Amino acid sequence: MVTTNGAGTAAVPAQPSYASGTSDVPLLGETIGADLDRTVARFPDRDALVEYATGRRWTYREFVADVDALALGLLDAGLGKGDRIGIWAPNRAEWTLIQYASAKIGAILVNINPSYRVHELEFVLNQSGIRMLVSAQRFKTSDYVAMVEQVRPQCPALEQVVFLDDPAWESLLRQDGDRQRLIGVQAELSADEAINIQYTSGTTGFPKGATLSHHNILNNGFFVGELCGYTEVDRVAIVPPFYHCFGMVMGNLACTSHGSAMVIPSEGFDPAAALSAVAAERCTSLYGVPTMFIAELGLPDFDGYDLSSLRTGIMAGSPCPAEVMKQVIDRMGMSEVAICYGMTETSPVSTQTRADDSLERRVSTVGRVGPHLEVKIVDPSTGLTVPVGEPGELCTRGYSVMLGYWQQPDKTAEVVDTARWMHTGDLAEMDSSGYVSITGRIKDMIIRGGENLYPREIEEFLYTHPDILDAQVIGVPDARYGEELMAWVRLREGAEELTAEALREFCSDRLAHHKIPRYVHVVDEFPMTVTGKVRKVEMREQAKKLLGLDAG
């Protein structure tokens, strides 16, 4: 059907919400190990890895020596291409060593969430068929040794367990074998082979193992680093956990593909340690999810940290509040800070803001599509691309899309279509310049009395309240409207208790009536994943109990 304008001539078709990332820089066509060797040859004496808490540090020459020794140790232990090696530990230097050593022999590294309990650990060990588990002995209140011993009889594929700081680990790391043997092994590897399994945090049932190749994660780390302007002089404070793409890809691989230094501030997130590491190591870049930056900015002695070395950084993992972004730029001096959007299944980054983007672009969008990638926004019901400015589901395609969920082709087919588009489940809009704004999850969208409400819009408004430090909006069951709005808020220190009536009064005349939360719940902390994402599913379940809505 051809539409016409008033004069009877064919109208110009609406611009579709589609963008592809052009680049003069080609994709990397090599393995992670080969890329590391290339970097070592260029920058052998520059810092590669710094563990701030212990003072341990490696130049690139020293780092690859330990990586190669560990790789030979893994080969001597009977591991090789395609075998699964699990890593269950917080952020420490050994995590990084095993990441690169496993890549050098073509083994598949299986990242295990440090917060997993026994039943989750058992599931991952069995579902991925892990032959060797490398584990910390404990982290926070978790006794990993006891937990491993508890599940080991139920995990027939698990042949070897090596605990960090044990003689077995030292033996594995101190192999002085034939480097030519390792070179021969590396020569037999393909960049398109699986190298990593990362389990997505499922909200129902058990998580799924996103399977990623050298090509997936090496290129994603490289191009994230390119857009951050990384060179061998950069030093990146990697605060997010390594078990997640934010830490091991956007952090480690972005650094090693550019000769930059990986700086580990602490095993788990500690806002004071993060800023201390930046100051002591003169970091040029700082990573974190918004809640991490909020905690750092909220330190009573924040002004006592010398952050003058910071140039850039990345905020990602969940929507970045505009007010927080402005403070990161103004108070931390991160003038080139980037917003990244992505998901584990896409290695992870699909869109990113650039250093020359305006403040408005960086606080209101997640940037433009990355190099060599495509994004489009489709109508979830029809699958057709919507015109610019209209909401829909964000889809992405290109080198970054996972090989699939480990041994779950049916689950893979639910999210990756026959044209290899990854359906993210996120609601988004694209403007005429290709900038993407994330408006929420399809499953988080609230339908109140037939009106589609997007929590992000309301949350951004709540941040303007002088007493609110952080805010999350969810939908709860309602007999009249189907769903009602509930705001969970964290208050600034010293603020008086905030009632629903007081918040509604604040919103009155500033926010449309149907967007004003009916319920308010003040909390000290939100339910969170280890990666800093708010668990709205858990919040909704708690809310139903708090409000006596279980029957709804």
Side-chain angles (χ1 to χ4, degrees):
M1 177 178 175
V2 177
T3 58
T4 61
N5 58 22
T9 58
V12 177
Q15 181 181 342
S17 294
Y18 168 86
S20 60
T22 58
S23 178
D24 294 332
V25 180
L27 287 165
L28 302 178
E30 58 192 359
T31 64
I32 290 168
D35 182 74
L36 175 62
D37 290 341
R38 196 179 304 281
T39 297
V40 172
R42 294 167 61 206
F43 310 113
D45 299 316
R46 297 203 71 91
D47 280 348
L49 179 63
V50 177
E51 192 175 75
Y52 173 68
T54 64
R56 295 189 295 168
R57 60 182 64 232
W58 289 254
T59 63
Y60 268 97
R61 191 196 315 273
E62 294 164 340
F63 180 68
V64 80
D66 275 358
V67 165
D68 286 355
L70 181 55
L72 288 166
L74 294 172
L75 289 173
D76 286 344
L79 281 301
K81 183 165 74 172
D83 288 326
R84 273 76 70 201
I85 300 174
I87 173 68
W88 194 27
N91 283 18
R92 50 185 295 179
E94 288 81 1
W95 208 111
T96 308
L97 293 174
I98 200 77
Q99 176 184 347
Y100 288 86
S102 59
K104 282 224 171 189
I105 66 169
I108 300 173
L109 186 69
V110 182
N111 303 1
I112 304 177
N113 187 326
S115 71
Y116 273 179
R117 310 314 299 161
V118 170
H119 74 287
E120 296 159 316
L121 174 65
E122 181 182 336
F123 171 80
V124 167
L125 289 170
N126 283 325
Q127 203 276 330
S128 60
I130 288 173
R131 289 188 60 202
M132 173 187 278
L133 175 65
V134 178
S135 173
Q137 297 189 39
R138 60 171 51 252
F139 178 55
K140 295 183 178 177
T141 60
S142 295
D143 183 344
Y144 287 177
V145 175
M147 295 166 75
V148 170
E149 290 308 309
Q150 185 176 342
V151 304
R152 196 167 183 178
Q154 287 77 50
C155 302
L158 183 60
E159 300 167 359
Q160 303 176 64
V161 176
V162 177
F163 289 105
L164 301 180
D165 304 318
D166 260 9
W169 168 258
E170 295 302 321
S171 175
L172 201 62
L173 185 58
R174 292 290 168 255
Q175 295 295 317
D176 190 22
D178 181 6
R179 295 303 196 271
Q180 288 301 123
R181 178 188 179 197
L182 184 57
I183 292 171
V185 168
Q186 285 186 251
E188 298 297 317
L189 303 180
S190 164
D192 295 319
E193 291 166 342
I195 201 64
N196 186 216
I197 298 175
Q198 298 195 30
Y199 282 87
T200 61
S201 50
T203 54
T204 58
F206 283 107
K208 300 181 289 291
T211 307
L212 306 168
S213 67
H214 294 268
H215 195 68
N216 287 150
I217 60 178
L218 174 59
N219 277 291
N220 205 261
F222 173 69
F223 280 103
V224 165
E226 285 287 285
L227 294 184
C228 286
Y230 288 163
T231 69
E232 71 275 13
V233 304
D234 281 291
R235 305 173 68 80
V236 183
I238 306 171
V239 177
F242 287 151
Y243 93 87
H244 187 264
C245 271
F246 202 168
M248 70 165 286
V249 178
M250 298 158 69
N252 294 344
L253 286 168
C255 287
T256 59
S257 59
H258 290 88
S260 308
M262 301 169 280
V263 178
I264 307 173
S266 54
E267 287 193 344
F269 174 59
D270 178 334
L275 297 190
S276 295
V278 169
E281 292 296 329
R282 308 306 295 153
C283 293
T284 58
S285 179
L286 173 63
Y287 285 8
V289 298
T291 52
M292 292 173 176
F293 282 101
I294 289 169
E296 290 156 3
L297 289 161
L299 288 172
D301 60 346
F302 173 84
D303 292 331
Y305 295 95
D306 179 4
L307 307 180
S308 59
S309 59
L310 284 175
R311 168 183 67 83
T312 187
I314 294 175
M315 291 180 70
S318 58
C320 304
E323 289 303 314
V324 176
M325 181 66 163
K326 289 173 184 174
Q327 286 193 56
V328 166
I329 294 172
D330 295 340
R331 298 181 63 200
M332 289 185 161
M334 294 166 59
S335 59
E336 298 178 18
V337 64
I339 295 291
C340 287
Y341 163 82
M343 60 194 308
T344 304
E345 290 89 338
T346 56
S347 303
V349 176
S350 297
T351 69
Q352 183 172 347
T353 59
R354 275 59 163 176
D356 59 353
D357 280 335
S358 67
L359 176 62
E360 175 60 26
R361 294 283 200 197
R362 283 187 278 169
V363 299
S364 63
T365 79
V366 291
R368 292 170 286 156
V369 64
H372 304 287
L373 295 173
E374 300 171 89
V375 294
K376 67 176 179 178
I377 296 172
V378 303
D379 183 323
S381 60
T382 67
L384 297 176
T385 305
V386 301
V388 295
E390 291 191 13
E393 182 183 15
L394 180 63
C395 299
T396 185
R397 180 169 68 180
Y399 74 81
S400 68
V401 175
M402 66 175 178
L403 300 178
Y405 292 123
W406 183 258
Q407 295 185 338
Q408 291 186 295
D410 54 332
K411 297 295 185 183
T412 304
E414 291 175 6
V415 295
V416 180
D417 66 26
T418 54
R420 291 292 295 168
W421 283 100
M422 174 75 205
H423 291 251
T424 67
D426 284 319
L427 292 166
E429 294 179 14
M430 182 186 294
D431 68 16
S432 58
S433 298
Y435 286 86
V436 175
S437 299
I438 304 296
T439 55
R441 293 286 291 169
I442 289 177
K443 61 187 177 184
D444 286 342
M445 185 175 71
I446 301 163
I447 305 176
R448 181 190 183 275
E451 293 271 1
N452 291 349
L453 303 179
Y454 301 99
R456 175 74 189 276
E457 176 191 359
I458 302 165
E459 290 161 1
E460 289 285 1
F461 173 76
L462 295 180
Y463 277 108
T464 66
H465 190 290
D467 291 338
I468 291 179
L469 180 66
D470 205 352
Q472 297 292 327
V473 173
I474 59 173
V476 294
D478 183 78
R480 181 178 180 185
Y481 293 106
E483 285 188 287
E484 260 294 2
L485 295 174
M486 182 180 191
W488 286 42
V489 299
R490 294 173 55 216
L491 300 181
R492 298 187 188 281
E493 192 172 344
E496 295 183 6
E497 189 70 14
L498 184 67
T499 64
E501 292 75 18
L503 186 63
R504 282 198 291 268
E505 184 178 345
F506 176 80
C507 296
S508 181
D509 299 328
R510 295 187 180 94
L511 207 57
H513 174 74
H514 63 283
K515 296 179 182 178
I516 298 176
R518 178 177 177 183
Y519 306 105
V520 174
H521 182 44
V522 178
V523 295
D524 293 326
E525 299 290 341
F526 300 129
M528 308 285 280
T529 67
V530 172
T531 55
K533 292 184 179 180
V534 176
R535 287 186 54 81
K536 287 196 172 183
V537 170
E538 186 175 331
M539 289 169 63
R540 281 189 284 269
E541 291 305 310
Q542 290 185 29
K544 286 191 287 186
K545 294 178 182 178
L546 284 167
L547 301 172
L549 302 172
D550 287 306

